[in-house]
C-alpha cells in the first residue's frame, strides 16, 4: 500500500493544499516521513558546496532597497543575468528594470510568493523586505506585518522547497542590556524597537527551522551600511550617507546624533561580498547560523573630520533627534566578528579613509548626485 494512503485525512489535506495558512507551518514532506526515498538525519543534508559549474536560481525580495540592486548586480556577474530575479512591490527605475529579470512580489501574499518560487525553480532566496528602525517605530503595525508575518511566509516556503535562505539581521537586534564594546555573537539582546525585535525573531525562527526541518538558513548581522547608490532611507545610521550628499550639494550638514555616538559601519561592497561568501560557504564550515560582521567603527565627529579632508569648507551642526539617539545608545559600539573570520574567512577591504575617498569618487559632483536612485 502506498505510504500516502496510510496517512490521516488531516495530513492528506495538508499535503494536498500546502498553501494552507491556518496557523500550521508548511512542513517539508521529508519531515513527516512521506518521501519514498531515504533522507539523512543531518539537518544540513541539502547544504552542499557549489561547484563553479552550478548556478543557483536566485530570488531577492525587497530588492529595490539599499542593498538589493547591488546584490543583484554582484550575483548576476557571478551566476548569469537570467539566474537572478529581483523583486519588490514598487515600480523599478528603467536602469534597474532593463538590467535583468524583475517581477512584482508581495511577501504578505503567500500564494503569489509560492508560485514565484515554483515557476522559476528558485534555489536561493535573499529576503530583504523589511521596515527599518526609525520608519518601523513610526508605523509599528505595518512593521510587524512586513517584518514578522512576511518572514513566516518566506520561512515556510523556503522549508517546503528546500531553499538556501539568507535573512539579514542588524546591530538593531541588540538592546541597552547587551554588551556594547565589543558585542559578541552570543549574548543578551533585548532590543527596544520593533525593527530589532523582528530581527531577533528572524534569527531564532531561522535557527529553529534549521534544526527542526533542515532549512539551510544563513544570517549576518549587518552594521550600518554606507552606499552611494541610494538615498538615506530612514535608518538610524543614515547620517553617515547623508553627510556625503550634503557636503557636495550644499556644503552644510546637520547631524541628528550626538558627535560622540560610536556605531559599527561598513561600506556596501564589503557587505555584499560578505553576503555572497557566507552563502557559498560549505555547511560544515558554519559553527552557527547567525554571525556578526564588522569593518570599522566611528562617531559622527570622526566621520566629519575625515570628510573635511576632502571638503574643508563643510559646515556641521548637531540637532539631536531624541528617538534616533535613544536607538543609537542601545546599539553596539563595536562588533566582535571573530567567528565569521575564523569559520568562513571573512575579511573586510574598506576602513574609514578608503570609505570616504570611495564615496566622493563615486558621487563626484552635483550632476552625479541628481542621477543617484
Amino acid at each position: 500500500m502506498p505510504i500516502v494512503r496510510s496517512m490521516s485525512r488531516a495530513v492528506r489535506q495538508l499535503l494536498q493544499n500546502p498553501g494552507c495558512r491556518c496557523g500550521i507551518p508548511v512542513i517539508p514532506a521529508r519531515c513527516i516521513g512521506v518521501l519514498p526515498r531515504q533522507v539523512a538525519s543531518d539537518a544540513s543534508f541539502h547544504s552542499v558546496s557549489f561547484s563553479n559549474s552550478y548556478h543557483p536560481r536566485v530570488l531577492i525580495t525587497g530588492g529595490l532597497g539599499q542593498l538589493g540592486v547591488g546584490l543583484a548586480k554582484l550575483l548576476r556577474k557571478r551566476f548569469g543575468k537570467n539566474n537572478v530575479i529581483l523583486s519588490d512591490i514598487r515600480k523599478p527605475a528603467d536602469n534597474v528594470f532593463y538590467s535583468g529579470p524583475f517581477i512584482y512580489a508581495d511577501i504578505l501574499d503567500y500564494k503569489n510568493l509560492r508560485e514565484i518560487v515554483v515557476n522559476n525553480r528558485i534555489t536561493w532566496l535573499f529576503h530583504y523586505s523589511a521596515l527599518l528602525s526609525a520608519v518601523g517605530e513610526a508605523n509599528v503595525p505595518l512593521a510587524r506585518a512586513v517584518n514578522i508575518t512576511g518572514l513566516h511566509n518566506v520561512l515556510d516556503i523556503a522549508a517546503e522547497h528546500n531553499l538556501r535562505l539568507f535573512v539579514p539581521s542588524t546591530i538593531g537586534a541588540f538592546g541597552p542590556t547587551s554588551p556594547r564594546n565589543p558585542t559578541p555573537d552570543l549574548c543578551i539582546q533585548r532590543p527596544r524597537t520593533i525593527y530589532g525585535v523582528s530581527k531577533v525573531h528572524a534569527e531564532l525562527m531561522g535557527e529553529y527551522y534549521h534544526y527542526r526541518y533542515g532549512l539551510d538558513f544563513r544570517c549576518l548581522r549587518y552594521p550600518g551600511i554606507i552606499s552611494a547608490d541610494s538615498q538615506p532611507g530612514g535608518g538610524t545610521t543614515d547620517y553617515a550617507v547623508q553627510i556625503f550628499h550634503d557636503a557636495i550639494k550644499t556644503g552644510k550638514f546637520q547631524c541628528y546624533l550626538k558627535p560622540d555616538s560610536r556605531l559599527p559601519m561598513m561600506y556596501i561592497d564589503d557587505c555584499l561580498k560578505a553576503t555572497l561568501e557566507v552563502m557559498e560557504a560549505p555547511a560544515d564550515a558554519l559553527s552557527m547560523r547567525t554571525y556578526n560582521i564588522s569593518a570599522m567603527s566611528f562617531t559622527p565627529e570622526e566621520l566629519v573630520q575625515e570628510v573635511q579632508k576632502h571638503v574643508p569648507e563643510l559646515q556641521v551642526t548637531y540637532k539631536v533627534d531624541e528617538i534616533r539617539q535613544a536607538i543609537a545608545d542601545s546599539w553596539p559600539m563595536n562588533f566582535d566578528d571573530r567567528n565569521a573570520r575564523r569559520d568562513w574567512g571573512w575579511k573586510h577591504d574598506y576602513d574609514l579613509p578608503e570609505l570616504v575617498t570611495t564615496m566622493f569618487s563615486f558621487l563626484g559632483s552635483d550632476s552625479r548626485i541628481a542621477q543617484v536612485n
Side-chain angles (χ1 to χ4, degrees):
M1 177 183 296
I3 297 176
V4 175
R5 292 183 182 177
S6 65
M7 295 185 297
S8 69
R9 176 177 298 176
V11 174
R12 287 202 305 273
Q13 290 175 343
L14 178 61
L15 291 177
Q16 291 167 359
N17 183 23
C20 175
R21 309 304 298 149
C22 53
I24 304 173
V26 179
I27 303 171
R30 66 174 186 278
C31 297
I32 54 176
V34 300
L35 285 184
R37 58 185 176 87
Q38 292 295 318
V39 177
S41 60
D42 179 8
S44 300
F45 70 91
H46 60 268
S47 304
V48 297
S49 298
F50 292 96
S51 67
N52 291 332
S53 61
Y54 177 87
H55 287 168
R57 294 279 296 169
V58 178
L59 174 66
I60 304 172
T61 67
L64 297 184
Q66 183 185 21
L67 299 175
V69 174
L71 180 64
K73 183 178 179 181
L74 176 66
L75 297 178
R76 284 167 178 163
K77 184 180 296 185
R78 184 65 173 270
F79 302 128
K81 175 179 176 179
N82 292 327
N83 285 317
V84 180
I85 301 173
L86 200 61
S87 73
D88 209 303
I89 60 172
R90 296 177 291 152
K91 184 171 69 173
D94 287 348
N95 64 310
V96 174
F97 184 77
Y98 291 110
S99 65
F102 179 90
I103 58 175
Y104 174 92
D106 180 356
I107 60 167
L108 297 179
D109 186 341
Y110 178 86
K111 183 176 182 293
N112 170 251
L113 189 61
R114 190 167 179 267
E115 288 175 350
I116 291 171
V117 168
V118 171
N119 291 343
N120 293 282
R121 299 166 43 246
I122 299 300
T123 56
W124 284 16
L125 198 160
F126 292 83
H127 178 51
Y128 278 106
S129 298
L131 265 65
L132 300 181
S133 54
V135 177
E137 289 306 290
N139 194 337
V140 172
L142 180 60
R144 187 174 62 233
V146 173
N147 295 9
I148 296 178
T149 304
L151 170 76
H152 293 174
N153 289 343
V154 168
L155 285 170
D156 287 350
I157 291 168
E160 180 187 7
H161 295 286
N162 297 348
L163 307 186
R164 178 168 291 189
L165 173 64
F166 178 84
V167 179
S169 189
T170 167
I171 54 175
F174 297 94
T177 57
S178 305
R180 298 186 66 210
N181 192 18
T183 302
D185 284 305
L186 301 175
C187 65
I188 294 172
Q189 293 183 252
R190 295 293 189 274
R192 292 185 178 176
T193 66
I194 186 60
Y195 177 59
V197 169
S198 69
K199 287 303 183 180
V200 174
H201 179 77
E203 294 176 14
L204 295 177
M205 287 295 290
E207 288 192 18
Y208 174 75
Y209 269 61
H210 170 67
Y211 291 113
R212 180 67 176 85
Y213 302 127
L215 174 63
D216 191 353
F217 171 83
R218 304 179 183 210
C219 176
L220 296 178
R221 294 192 186 108
Y222 291 156
I225 304 302
I226 300 175
S227 166
D229 284 328
S230 60
Q231 295 286 349
T236 301
T237 60
D238 279 347
Y239 82 88
V241 177
Q242 188 68 53
I243 187 173
F244 294 98
H245 294 272
D246 290 354
I248 294 174
K249 293 174 70 175
T250 68
K252 298 179 180 180
F253 170 64
Q254 185 177 86
C255 184
Y256 51 75
L257 295 183
K258 295 177 182 178
D260 62 350
S261 299
R262 182 172 299 278
L263 292 167
M265 300 284 188
M266 179 178 288
Y267 184 57
I268 188 170
D269 285 10
D270 276 339
C271 174
L272 300 178
K273 182 182 78 166
T275 302
L276 177 57
E277 286 179 354
V278 77
M279 283 294 277
E280 290 190 314
D284 57 8
L286 305 180
S287 63
M288 54 188 64
R289 288 285 141 177
T290 298
Y291 289 90
N292 293 342
I293 54 168
S294 185
M296 66 193 87
S297 181
F298 56 75
T299 66
E301 186 175 44
E302 292 168 348
L303 178 59
V304 166
Q305 291 172 357
E306 196 65 37
V307 168
Q308 286 177 332
K309 294 178 182 179
H310 297 260
V311 187
E313 66 276 16
L314 176 65
Q315 300 176 26
V316 179
T317 57
Y318 293 89
K319 184 178 180 181
V320 176
D321 180 325
E322 296 300 330
I323 294 178
R324 288 181 176 180
Q325 186 64 55
I327 292 172
D329 289 343
S330 71
W331 283 359
M333 299 169 67
N334 285 287
F335 259 160
D336 179 351
D337 63 353
R338 72 184 72 181
N339 290 319
R341 294 176 186 269
R342 179 200 65 207
D343 288 359
W344 43 276
W346 160 240
K347 184 179 180 181
H348 70 279
D349 294 325
Y350 292 84
D351 290 310
L352 182 55
E354 292 84 5
L355 163 70
V356 173
T357 299
T358 302
M359 287 290 288
F360 278 119
S361 175
F362 186 90
L363 293 175
S365 65
D366 288 354
S367 60
R368 175 59 182 164
I369 290 289
Q371 297 172 16
V372 174
N373 290 331

